């Protein structure tokens, strides 16, 4: 496995690599969710590339960029074990030199949910993904369904800017009690960890209710989460799974998504819902 | 010469073409200025690609998108004569499908001169150039010095988004009387055509003055242009040639640039100025 910290060396390496090439972009602190992307990409491609870069552009000024968990040594060991060929580990300066001044903006899709709660977040995501797709020029790039809105934004910019990667969305990996894996779960103490199961319990309820009335689904989810003293709802959404427009009635595929604060930690999760 | 109207076919063609590949992006209605880009690119590259696309995203709502001159048949004949291998001639729908929603924004550099006079112009330029560089994936792309600020914006987005083309800037081609070639010169009647020489006369004055006092340069240029009854100044700038920050004193390389309306036609031109 080659670990490459510069844009120019990584670009050269991918350009002489066997094709197809799959890219798994990550912010590191890898867990089984990331590794499911890696395993899927390993199976699909002749060359497997990953990137580890905590992207400051997608964090708000009051968010956790400085404290976001990092463990490069452990990450590299996991990637090597999983058969990764090339790892891109750029410095901040390498990705955003002092005179950096160009941003990729996706409209509409980014105006709700995470975009509304975290102004500038998707501008940062879209910009770094555009850069990573240009640098790694992958045939396929892999993203986790846990960040459902991010997956839609990445598909949009990839199509609109003609970057020609196939964007592969991989199912969310969960703990035995349903909690979606997230690097931010490491912020939770044991009491918060128990309370955090409320997200998946709420999403499961939405799937079990058997109603297509989106207002009722949102209300029942809210009631369930509000019964958990450590949880504070940021949003509860039942939206069209493609456009993210909020629904009155679930007819086509819908995305049920949540952002909930457990103590000081903001967690997100989602499931899709469809009535045949 | 292959003329290719779709993104997918053009992408495939450039990916199997001999390298290096040079791209000359144009809005068509080709004149000797464009052809100097083509000739330069022909000399530099194994494969020569050009594009013809009048990009609506870089025109303001009150600008001349609808009436911008077009002559596809003549353009293709000129490109074939000049030895172009591949021409990309996408439709509007091919470049901007109905659900298109992603834009590339360059800050700072775009806030003055043409960016200030034409809100949204450089967003449109940056977006279409990003798309064309992703579609054609050239080793080199060629732009004319006449659009000096555009050249700087393109260099910036190419570097910031890691698109890895070499951006080659080719000198402005002028008529015998100094008028810079422009597709918009076709809008001028014979009286206006004579008046239009005022741009180059003003720029030549700046070069001949022998002063490094930028305020004096701007004043002398303004006085010369104001003596021409058909001319109306949009801006006169003496700025740092890299940052486009307006100067008090010319020390390093400076860009002297003008936008002037001659009758209903808005023309731009520039020269660089340096005191050794």
């Amino acid at each position: 496995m080659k670990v490459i910290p510069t844009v120019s060396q990584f670009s050269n390496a991918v350009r002489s690599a066997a094709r197809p090439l799959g890219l798994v972009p990550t912010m590191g602190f890898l867990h089984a969710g990331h590794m499911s992307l890696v395993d899927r990409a390993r199976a699909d491609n002749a060359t497997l590339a990953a990137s580890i870069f905590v992207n400051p552009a997608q964090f708000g000024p009051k968010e956790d960029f400085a404290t976001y968990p990092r463990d490069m040594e452990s990450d590299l060991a996991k990637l090597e074990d999983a058969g990764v060929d090339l790892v891109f580990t750029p410095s901040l300066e390498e990705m955003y030199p002092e005179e950096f001044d160009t941003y990729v903006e996706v409209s509409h899709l980014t105006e709700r949910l995470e975009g509304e709660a975290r102004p500038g977040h998707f501008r940062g995501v879209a910009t770094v993904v555009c850069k990573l797709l240009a640098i790694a020029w992958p045939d396929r790039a892999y993203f986790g369904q846990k960040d459902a809105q991010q997956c839609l934004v990445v598909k949009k910019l990839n199509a609109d800017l003609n970057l020609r990667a196939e964007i592969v969305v991989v199912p969310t990996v969960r703990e035995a009690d349903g909690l979606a894996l997230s690097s931010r779960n490491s912020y939770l103490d044991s009491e918060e960890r128990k309370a955090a199961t409320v997200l998946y319990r709420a999403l499961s309820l939405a799937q079990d209710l058997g109603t297509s009335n989106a207002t009722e689904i949102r209300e029942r989810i809210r009631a369930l989460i509000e019964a958990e003293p450590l949880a504070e709802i940021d949003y509860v959404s039942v939206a069209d799974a493609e456009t993210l427009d909020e629904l009155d009635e679930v007819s086509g595929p819908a995305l049920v998504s949540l952002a909930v604060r457990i103590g000081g930690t903001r967690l997100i999760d989602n499931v899709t819902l469809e009535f045949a």
Side-chain angles (χ1 to χ4, degrees), chain A residues 182-219:
Chain A
S182 164
S183 303
R184 289 192 174 98
N185 293 349
S186 64
Y187 296 152
L188 302 170
D189 67 24
S190 66
E191 199 184 355
E192 290 166 345
R193 172 64 188 79
K194 278 176 213 155
T197 59
V198 75
L199 281 87
Y200 189 63
R201 284 187 279 126
L203 294 170
S204 302
L205 173 68
Q207 290 182 309
D208 295 343
L209 277 176
T211 177
S212 64
N213 181 326
T215 308
E216 188 185 342
I217 296 170
R218 282 186 289 264
E219 281 169 4

Side-chain angles (χ1 to χ4, degrees), chain A residues 4 6-17 19 21 86 88 131-132 134-137:
Chain A
I4 303 175
T6 69
V7 168
S8 63
Q9 287 176 295
F10 194 78
S11 290
N12 290 336
V14 296
R15 275 157 185 75
S16 59
R19 294 278 160 169
L21 181 144
L86 302 168
F88 182 44
K131 285 169 65 70
L132 289 170
I135 293 165
W137 207 236

Side-chain angles (χ1 to χ4, degrees), chain A residues 90-108:
Chain A
S91 66
L92 255 178
E93 176 64 22
E94 187 71 12
M95 289 294 274
Y96 298 108
E98 204 178 326
E99 64 282 11
F100 186 90
D101 233 356
T102 305
Y103 290 91
V104 176
E105 305 254 16
V106 177
S107 309
H108 294 100

Side-chain angles (χ1 to χ4, degrees), chain A residues 74 140 144 161 173 259:
Chain A
S74 159
R140 302 187 182 94
L161 298 183
V173 176

Side-chain angles (χ1 to χ4, degrees), chain A residues 20-207:
Chain A
L21 181 144
L23 174 70
V24 181
T26 81
M27 300 212 300
F29 210 70
L30 304 178
H31 52 59
H34 298 105
M35 300 318 291
S36 77
L37 305 183
V38 170
D39 291 344
R40 169 70 188 275
R42 178 69 285 171
D44 290 351
N45 299 283
T47 300
L48 174 51
S51 62
I52 300 177
F53 179 66
V54 184
N55 174 36
Q58 73 189 68
F59 288 80
K62 292 177 180 171
E63 292 182 0
D64 56 346
F65 173 67
T67 56
Y68 193 85
R70 292 159 167 89
D71 189 345
M72 182 64 83
E73 200 178 333
S74 159
D75 289 346
L76 292 178
K78 287 174 185 171
L79 294 177
E80 178 136 43
D81 283 350
V84 171
D85 300 302
L86 302 168
V87 187
F88 182 44
T89 57
S91 66
L92 255 178
E93 176 64 22
E94 187 71 12
M95 289 294 274
Y96 298 108
E98 204 178 326
E99 64 282 11
F100 186 90
D101 233 356
T102 305
Y103 290 91
V104 176
E105 305 254 16
V106 177
S107 309
H108 294 100
L109 264 182
T110 61
E111 284 153 22
R112 302 198 55 258
L113 307 178
E114 291 302 290
E116 192 174 355
R118 305 179 66 189
H121 171 66
F122 283 121
R123 188 178 90 137
V125 168
T127 301
V128 83
V129 170
C130 180
K131 285 169 65 70
L132 289 170
L133 294 179
I135 293 165
W137 207 236
D139 298 284
R140 302 187 182 94
Y142 295 79
F143 294 85
Q145 171 65 21
K146 203 206 88 187
D147 299 306
Q149 190 175 12
Q150 172 173 281
C151 291
L152 293 173
V153 170
V154 167
K155 284 182 175 179
K156 191 86 193 122
L157 78 93
N158 175 67
D160 284 354
L161 298 183
N162 308 105
L163 296 170
R164 283 174 63 87
E166 180 191 344
I167 305 301
V168 181
V169 177
V170 177
T172 302
V173 176
R174 301 179 179 283
E175 303 280 7
D177 63 5
L179 180 67
L181 296 194
S182 164
S183 303
R184 289 192 174 98
N185 293 349
S186 64
Y187 296 152
L188 302 170
D189 67 24
S190 66
E191 199 184 355
E192 290 166 345
R193 172 64 188 79
K194 278 176 213 155
T197 59
V198 75
L199 281 87
Y200 189 63
R201 284 187 279 126
L203 294 170
S204 302
L205 173 68
Q207 290 182 309

